[in-house]
Amino acid sequence: MVTADARFAADISHELRTPLTTMLNSMELIHNHRDELPAAVREPVELLGEDLERFRRLVVDLLEISRDDGEDEGSRDTVRIADLIRVAADTAAGRPVTEVSADAAALTLRADKRRLERVVANLVENAEGHGGGCVRVSVEAGGLGVIVQFDDAGPGVPVADRDRIFERFCRGGSGGRPAQDAGAGGIGLGLSIVARHVAWHNGTIRVEDRPGGGARFVLELPAKPG
């Protein structure tokens, strides 16, 4: 049943990708000519663009879930963890946000690159969209081998929500910031995908307070010297 549900989700997601791509391309064209639009329609166009971005994230997350629940067992390749995280985090943020300590620069990990890149991207995008912006992603040796911290500038995550935000379809918070995607109309898949992919790598993920304010997501993975 799980495999059948995963295949159904994958089929639906693939069917959605073509019309979604057309809509996103059309929205980009409209956005490029935004100044030519009548003032009365600019705000509705902006709202439509935000909804399309949420739609895109939903399709991406559904594809990711379907891979995990289906028959994709993944593969493990040796990667230099700091390099992978820097590229994935900086790309997701659209600017340099990654700092790598000297003791972590050469650490390696047997990883599924697709899964690990999705972990990093989801955590950065979560900080960008729901945590007031990604302040920093730091990579250093320690813990299981490597510790990666994702700092944001938001109000933080209430203690009561710190475990359940990694559950699938968790949307609301008991206080402070939304527990997952509720603040932006999401459906609560992003951090559950993070938790599953981290567990696949025999790592851990938790959230705590960032010194000075905000949330800090702490990722530990069993890396070793290269």
Side-chain angles (χ1 to χ4, degrees), residues 98-158:
T98 309
E99 298 177 6
V100 179
S101 65
D103 60 4
L107 292 176
T108 62
L109 174 69
R110 293 284 292 170
D112 184 311
K113 292 179 65 176
R114 177 187 63 79
R115 282 182 165 93
L116 195 52
E117 287 168 350
R118 178 46 49 195
V119 166
V120 175
N122 277 13
L123 288 171
V124 171
E125 290 170 1
N126 185 71
E128 288 287 285
H130 316 297
C134 182
V135 175
R136 183 184 68 150
V137 177
S138 65
V139 186
E140 60 187 40
L144 297 174
V146 65
I147 299 174
V148 188
Q149 298 178 340
F150 298 79
D151 290 347
D152 70 38
V157 178

Side-chain angles (χ1 to χ4, degrees), residues 4 12 14 40 56 68 74 97 105 120 125 143-144 175-176 183-184 189 193 205 213-214:
I12 292 296
H14 281 295
R56 184 192 69 80
D68 276 358
V97 293
V120 175
E125 290 170 1
L144 297 174
L189 291 175
I193 291 171
I205 182 71

Side-chain angles (χ1 to χ4, degrees), residues 13 19-20 24 28 67 85 91 99 116 127 151 156 180 184 224:
S13 300
L20 175 59
L24 287 170
E28 182 178 3
R67 290 190 183 106
I85 290 172
T91 298
E99 298 177 6
L116 195 52
D151 290 347
Q180 170 90 20
K224 61 183 181 179

Side-chain angles (χ1 to χ4, degrees), residues 6-151:
R7 187 176 299 112
F8 176 76
D11 289 345
I12 292 296
S13 300
H14 281 295
E15 288 297 323
L16 290 173
R17 290 181 75 176
T18 297
L20 175 59
T21 298
T22 300
M23 288 187 286
L24 287 170
N25 289 339
S26 299
M27 178 54 63
E28 182 178 3
L29 179 62
I30 293 172
H31 185 76
N32 290 339
H33 295 274
R34 182 180 183 277
D35 292 341
E36 301 172 21
L37 297 175
V41 303
R42 290 178 186 173
E43 182 176 358
V45 166
E46 291 294 330
L47 293 174
L48 178 58
E50 293 172 4
D51 281 341
L52 280 175
E53 176 57 22
R54 284 193 285 270
F55 187 19
R56 184 192 69 80
R57 290 294 310 146
L58 170 60
V59 172
V60 170
D61 286 347
L62 283 175
L63 283 171
E64 200 72 18
I65 289 290
S66 68
R67 290 190 183 106
D68 276 358
D69 288 345
E71 300 175 352
D72 184 359
E73 297 180 357
S75 60
R76 295 186 187 271
D77 299 304
T78 299
V79 300
R80 183 164 290 187
I81 186 68
D83 292 344
L84 184 148
I85 290 172
R86 184 189 300 278
V87 171
D90 292 357
T91 298
R95 63 188 185 281
V97 293
T98 309
E99 298 177 6
V100 179
S101 65
D103 60 4
L107 292 176
T108 62
L109 174 69
R110 293 284 292 170
D112 184 311
K113 292 179 65 176
R114 177 187 63 79
R115 282 182 165 93
L116 195 52
E117 287 168 350
R118 178 46 49 195
V119 166
V120 175
N122 277 13
L123 288 171
V124 171
E125 290 170 1
N126 185 71
E128 288 287 285
H130 316 297
C134 182
V135 175
R136 183 184 68 150
V137 177
S138 65
V139 186
E140 60 187 40
L144 297 174
V146 65
I147 299 174
V148 188
Q149 298 178 340
F150 298 79
D151 290 347

